[in-house]
């Protein structure tokens, strides 16, 4: 793989991540209720992350898998 292909691959992953974070905040409650799970958004409807905390609410089984 040359540098151009690697750059395109990483750019596409970055675009998916940039779209995925806000979409996870929009659809978290709907997906959680459909799967009979508790939503993981905080009081301000923010997804848990290193930046705003809340990673303690995520099941340890998620991190193992």
């Amino acid at each position: 793989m040359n540098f151009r292909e690697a750059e395109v691959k990483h750019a596409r992953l970055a675009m998916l991540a940039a779209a995925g974070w806000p979409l996870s905040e929009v659809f978290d409650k709907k997906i959680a209720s459909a799967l009979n799970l508790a939503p993981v958004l905080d009081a301000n409807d923010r997804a848990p992350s290193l930046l705003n905390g809340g990673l303690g609410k995520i099941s340890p089984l998620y991190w193992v898998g």
Side-chain angles (χ1 to χ4, degrees):
M1 178 182 303
N2 62 27
F3 289 118
R4 179 181 164 93
E5 292 173 1
E7 186 174 354
V8 169
K9 176 182 174 185
H10 288 96
R12 288 177 180 162
L13 288 173
M15 287 186 278
L16 284 172
W21 192 333
L23 288 176
S24 70
E25 293 178 350
V26 171
F27 293 114
D28 178 67
K29 292 179 183 176
K30 294 177 184 175
I31 293 172
S33 65
L35 298 174
N36 295 327
L37 299 172
V40 294
L41 297 180
D42 66 0
N44 297 323
D45 285 337
R46 296 182 305 180
S49 71
L50 292 174
L51 299 176
N52 57 24
L55 291 178
K57 295 193 305 184
I58 307 298
S59 169
L61 295 175
Y62 173 80
W63 301 114
V64 173

